[in-house]
Amino acid sequence: MEGYHHFRKEVANYFRARFPFLYISTWEEERVIDQLSHIVSDTELIKTPRTLFVWSLTKGFESNGMPPSAETKDPLKALAFIEKYDQPAVFILKDFYVYLGANNRPPEYRLIRKMKDLVSVLEKSLVSKNVVLVAPTLTLPPELEKDITIVEFQLPSFAEIKETLKKMIEMNQGQNRAIVRLTEDEEERLVKAALGLTLKEAENAFALALVSKGRLDSDSVDQILFEKQQIIKKTGVLEFIKSEPNIQDVGGLENIKRWLNKRNKSWMDSAQDYGLPSPKGLLLTGVPGCGKSLIAKAVSSMWKLPLLKLDMGKIFSGIVGSSEENMRNALSTAEAISPSILWVDEIEKGLGNSGTAGDGGTSKRVLGNFLTWMQEKSKPVFVIATANNIDALPPELLRKGRFDEIFFVDLPTKKERKEIFRIHLEKRLTNPKAAGNFSIEPPVLDKLAELTESFIGAEIEQVVISALFEAFSENRSLTVEDLEKVIKQTVPLAVTQSEQILAIREWASLRAVSAARQEDLKEYQSIQLKKDDENPRDKDADLHTSRGGRAVEF
């Protein structure tokens, strides 16, 4: 396999060049040991075969040619054994990092000194000897930084996970334990959903899907994504968002829906037949409460990919240098479980111009890490960034190429308001006691949409909820009058923040694409909000005449 071939060749070259200490950071000890055992016995790679020894604190050294050596359990005696051994060999040290200062433990300087003494011994030895430290985290004391070489060990590849899945299917089918109904595309989607897991984690996820449902099918992807939650929770700065809303729960915004639908499955091998790269991401800006966050959640459901929310507040912790490390860890985790969706909500609050002053340049360095990653990432991580205050974003984040497209989400059109009312009413009027004789028919929706001119989606949702509270308090069914009463009492955001909305529209008119369809925007060419004396709720007479966002169709 390609990934293994690169690793084996790299490590074999280090062995032949007499590099004394290699350090491999991984949770998969057995996979590493299996690969090293292939290397030391492959004469084309290593030229001279070598004995492979594995050390642990509980057993000491052991190999195929000798049982565990209890007298080498002590780490100093283990290093002495390496020094005295007079045959070609590779020595694997498990969990030796605990003696080097891991987990805030004081380093054991006698061991560090002994390792430094070993460097020249290993380099000048008449026989080839190398030491490999295998540990779940990277811990290097300053004294050994120049003497230890770090080797990357990648998580299982697509081919490895596919082979694991194939073996599990054959074993379970042979014992008549499970039903497997996977098309070629569904199998590819299932395997790619497991990317980022260790082989053991992938095997556990497949086994859990088989046990819980008695079958493997396209729905098993959700079980694999559930297993990935464990990885995400441990980062501390990423949050796994359950993709409950689907794209049908988003009222309107048909232009962006079409854009997203055309890019579904673009991370799969079939897209390579067209020479297509994986899409980079979207920047959604516009009026607060009009569906930007809902779109981010709906994409996860639509594409059946894990949605990770990046918490910028947790990125900027108080320890100097830790903010940059937190960002690097978050981005590497997103890549590890790719294909995935990374959602950066209100990105201007973490990476905006306002956050760069008075923090010693931390914000600029974090922004630099993020921009470099966006430009150079090779893994399919789709970034969805949302912003309310676009002026606060640095220009380098907005330049062409960072995001595939910048969409502007404006106040919902009349057609969109009807759809939003329908979605929320159907969602909540599931019980006959609440629904009664209420009819969700076009004339009713048309009337409600007319009354809520300039309302945002979040306000329409609250209208429905408040009206239901009216009915609930009187122990009766919902009526249209309840909705009308709440609408009259509501002062929309378009009134309280009209200046901000006009400003962002002006910005978006040349720099962003409208999330709504062009035909839905035509109504705004003739609509004006009523004057103060006609409707005390509406104060901005020209709010809709300068609607922002270029009319581009996808």
Side-chain angles (χ1 to χ4, degrees):
M1 296 179 187
E2 186 177 348
Y4 280 160
H5 176 74
H6 174 77
F7 175 78
R8 290 178 184 178
K9 187 175 181 180
E10 180 186 21
V11 173
N13 287 338
Y14 284 137
F15 286 167
R16 293 173 59 198
R18 295 292 187 94
F19 277 57
F21 288 98
L22 304 182
Y23 196 125
I24 301 176
S25 177
T26 178
W27 291 96
E28 299 185 276
E29 290 179 348
E30 296 307 315
R31 271 185 72 220
V32 171
I33 294 172
D34 179 65
Q35 290 306 304
L36 293 180
S37 66
H38 280 86
I39 294 171
V40 298
S41 60
D42 189 336
T43 54
E44 291 187 7
L45 279 175
I46 202 84
K47 306 304 180 185
T48 304
R50 309 180 188 194
T51 303
L52 185 68
F53 288 92
V54 180
W55 178 89
S56 67
L57 181 62
T58 55
K59 295 182 179 179
F61 272 119
E62 58 182 328
S63 75
N64 290 334
M66 60 173 273
S69 174
E71 61 269 20
T72 59
K73 288 182 180 180
D74 180 83
L76 269 176
K77 291 182 179 179
L79 295 178
F81 176 85
I82 295 172
E83 182 178 18
K84 294 176 183 178
Y85 194 76
D86 58 359
Q87 298 295 322
V90 171
F91 304 89
I92 299 175
L93 304 180
K94 292 181 179 179
D95 297 333
F96 217 75
Y97 75 116
V98 298
Y99 305 113
L100 306 181
N103 303 324
N104 297 319
R105 290 179 49 158
E108 298 198 15
Y109 290 106
R110 287 193 307 161
L111 286 176
I112 294 174
R113 181 66 259 173
K114 183 62 177 177
M115 291 175 72
K116 288 186 68 67
D117 293 341
L118 264 180
V119 171
S120 59
V121 173
L122 296 173
E123 290 175 342
K124 298 174 182 179
S125 174
L126 296 176
V127 295
S128 299
K129 295 190 292 184
N130 311 86
V131 180
V132 181
L133 286 76
V134 179
T137 59
L138 181 62
T139 302
L140 280 181
E143 297 88 343
L144 293 173
E145 284 182 357
K146 302 298 182 182
D147 299 316
I148 294 180
T149 301
I150 299 170
V151 180
E152 292 289 333
F153 188 68
Q154 299 292 335
L155 286 163
S157 65
F158 177 89
E160 293 173 73
I161 295 177
K162 186 174 181 179
E163 182 64 23
T164 298
L165 176 61
K166 181 181 177 182
K167 289 179 180 178
M168 289 192 66
I169 290 173
E170 290 175 351
M171 183 179 68
N172 281 276
Q173 284 184 327
Q175 299 175 4
N176 296 319
R177 290 182 177 177
I179 301 171
V180 180
R181 293 171 180 165
L182 291 172
T183 65
E184 190 173 326
D185 280 350
E186 288 172 344
E187 182 179 290
E188 181 184 347
R189 189 187 287 269
L190 190 63
V191 173
K192 287 200 169 181
L195 288 175
L197 301 175
T198 65
L199 272 186
K200 178 58 68 176
E201 288 171 335
E203 189 176 332
N204 288 343
F206 294 145
L208 192 58
L210 283 166
V211 169
S212 59
K213 294 186 176 181
R215 66 181 185 276
L216 276 178
D217 53 25
S218 58
D219 293 335
S220 301
V221 171
D222 294 333
Q223 189 68 59
I224 311 303
L225 298 183
F226 178 79
E227 186 68 25
K228 283 189 173 182
Q229 292 184 43
Q230 302 301 317
I231 301 174
I232 298 160
K233 287 177 181 177
K234 294 167 187 173
T235 66
V237 294
L238 288 175
E239 179 184 356
F240 185 94
I241 303 296
K242 194 173 181 181
S243 55
E244 290 182 346
N246 54 50
I247 204 70
Q248 287 74 35
D249 293 327
V250 181
L253 308 182
E254 296 299 328
N255 208 23
I256 190 172
K257 286 180 183 178
R258 281 202 291 256
W259 191 95
L260 291 167
N261 189 54
K262 288 180 180 179
R263 284 152 183 80
N264 193 6
K265 300 182 181 179
S266 57
W267 61 92
M268 300 183 73
D269 292 343
S270 55
Q272 296 179 8
D273 297 338
Y274 292 80
L276 291 172
S278 299
K280 292 182 178 180
L282 289 177
L283 174 61
L284 305 179
T285 184
V287 183
C290 287
K292 298 188 295 296
S293 299
L294 187 61
I295 279 284
K297 297 175 183 177
V299 175
S300 173
S301 176
M302 181 184 189
W303 289 1
K304 289 190 177 296
L305 294 181
L307 176 62
L308 319 179
K309 184 178 180 181
L310 180 61
D311 189 334
M312 296 305 299
K314 292 180 180 177
I315 289 289
F316 292 96
S317 60
I319 304 174
V320 175
S322 62
S323 299
E324 298 92 316
E325 183 65 22
N326 288 340
M327 177 60 86
R328 285 192 292 269
N329 289 340
L331 298 179
S332 63
T333 300
E335 285 194 333
I337 66 170
S338 64
S340 59
I341 300 170
L342 183 66
W343 173 26
V344 189
D345 196 24
E346 297 188 4
I347 190 172
E348 73 274 22
K349 292 185 177 179
L351 301 178
N353 293 320
S354 59
T356 60
D359 62 358
T362 298
S363 297
K364 288 185 178 180
R365 291 192 296 272
V366 170
L367 174 63
N369 287 341
F370 184 71
L371 294 179
T372 301
W373 173 79
M374 284 194 69
Q375 193 69 32
E376 299 179 357
K377 65 182 172 75
S378 56
K379 299 290 183 68
V381 179
F382 185 76
V383 179
I384 297 184
T386 62
N388 292 327
N389 183 11
I390 201 73
D391 290 334
L393 289 176
E396 56 266 38
L397 185 64
L398 299 173
R399 79 161 177 78
K400 201 67 177 175
R402 298 293 188 199
F403 296 96
D404 295 312
E405 197 59 78
I406 300 176
F407 278 98
F408 176 72
V409 183
D410 205 340
L411 300 174
T413 65
K414 178 182 176 181
K415 185 174 181 179
E416 289 174 335
R417 294 195 301 276
K418 289 171 64 175
E419 183 66 12
I420 295 169
F421 265 115
R422 183 193 63 77
I423 289 171
H424 289 297
L425 288 169
E426 287 182 351
K427 180 180 178 181
R428 288 178 169 80
L429 294 181
T430 56
N431 191 292
K433 186 172 183 179
N437 296 322
F438 191 93
S439 179
I440 309 175
E441 296 295 333
V444 174
L445 296 176
D446 195 68
K447 181 179 182 181
L448 294 173
E450 289 283 356
L451 292 172
T452 52
E453 175 65 43
S454 80
F455 276 48
I456 63 176
E459 289 167 345
I460 293 174
E461 181 182 14
Q462 285 305 310
V463 164
V464 174
I465 293 173
S466 298
L468 282 168
F469 269 115
E470 291 284 339
F472 172 72
S473 65
E474 298 177 14
N475 195 27
R476 56 175 175 78
S477 302
L478 179 70
T479 65
V480 176
E481 288 73 24
D482 293 326
L483 294 163
E484 293 176 348
K485 177 182 177 182
V486 174
I487 291 170
K488 291 178 181 178
Q489 294 173 347
T490 303
V491 179
L493 188 73
V495 172
T496 59
Q497 294 190 12
S498 59
E499 293 84 0
Q500 293 92 319
I501 294 174
L502 287 170
I504 195 171
R505 279 182 177 175
E506 184 179 353
W507 180 93
S509 61
L510 296 175
R511 299 174 179 87
V513 174
S514 173
R517 290 186 302 184
Q518 187 173 1
E519 54 264 34
D520 293 341
L521 299 178
K522 291 179 181 178
E523 66 177 90
Y524 285 100
Q525 296 174 1
S526 58
I527 289 179
Q528 278 192 329
L529 294 185
K530 296 179 180 180
K531 298 287 186 179
D532 288 352
D533 55 353
E534 296 177 273
N535 189 339
R537 181 167 49 79
D538 300 327
K539 297 181 181 179
D540 191 338
D542 299 311
L543 192 58
H544 283 301
T545 58
S546 59
R547 187 174 178 87
R550 289 181 286 119
V552 175
E553 291 290 313
F554 292 103

